[in-house]
Amino acid sequence: MAHSIAIDGPAGAGKSTIAKRVARALGYVYVDTGAMYRAMAVYLLQNHVSADDDAAVSAQCGGADITIRYSDGEQHVFLNGSDVTGLLRSEEVGSMASRCSTNRKVREKLVELQQKLAASEDVVMDGRDIGTVVLPHAECKIFMTADADVRAKRRCLELEQKGQSADMQKIAADIRERDERDKTREISPLKQAEDAVLLDTSDMTIEEVTAKILEIAGLTAR
Ligand code: DC
């Protein structure tokens, strides 16, 4: 059995930054499951499918062949053979990903892909339902949160560093809307697994959070 660390939490809590560092420290593969929902969102946007039309999303999502490959340790997501990694981080795609991730067929398809990856590799996997649904037997489960305003500030900083303009109020509103949708959806909502350790990263540095998870993983690893 491969080893696995599950990191769940809301948008902007710092999951991917931390998960990448933890994976590097342990020599595990980092799996960003949000990127898979984002690739599905790209497919649905390209095909002009409305996220509000659940039947249409169910009917169309089968046409998206999503695969993951790694080059130089970085995850690349392929949609029907094309590398779409560069298209995934926009707000439009993020919002569509959150909306289409409420669809049962979309989730079934992507959870299967995630479980296959984790069966053959030691992984640090981040998302919303990893500890609860995808890898319920993960040796180490972390539920990472941060205050919504702190998360909005981090996102603004990230955009500004990329030379893009950032409207703090709009970003904060989007984050709250996305949290609400991810937490209240019927299937696999964002929720702390009973055996997950809660980490509020609002006042912690990246180094502190990484060290804390490595410490927890050391205590619980088989
Ligand atoms: O982590 P992220 O912002 O890249 O994720 C984008 C959306 O995908 C998120 O709003 C909800 C959905 N998602 C999910 O439902 N389950 C996951 N395991 C990962 C992401």
Side-chain angles (χ1 to χ4, degrees), residues 29-54:
V29 173
Y30 165 56
V31 182
D32 171 3
T33 64
M36 301 175 188
Y37 289 90
R38 287 172 184 264
M40 178 61 80
V42 168
Y43 177 77
L44 296 171
L45 286 167
Q46 283 174 349
N47 287 282
H48 310 288
V49 179
S50 161
D52 298 328
D53 187 343
D54 205 49

Side-chain angles (χ1 to χ4, degrees), residues 125-143:
M125 191 174 276
D126 79 5
R128 305 294 189 287
D129 59 340
I130 310 305
T132 51
V133 175
V134 181
L135 304 175
H137 303 301
E139 289 100 330
C140 172
K141 298 183 186 178
I142 306 291
F143 193 80

Side-chain angles (χ1 to χ4, degrees), residues 70-91:
Y70 291 87
S71 78
D72 295 331
E74 290 292 320
Q75 172 176 297
H76 285 255
V77 184
F78 288 77
L79 171 63
N80 294 332
S82 303
D83 187 345
V84 291
T85 313
L87 303 179
L88 304 181
R89 301 310 311 172
S90 73
E91 295 301 319

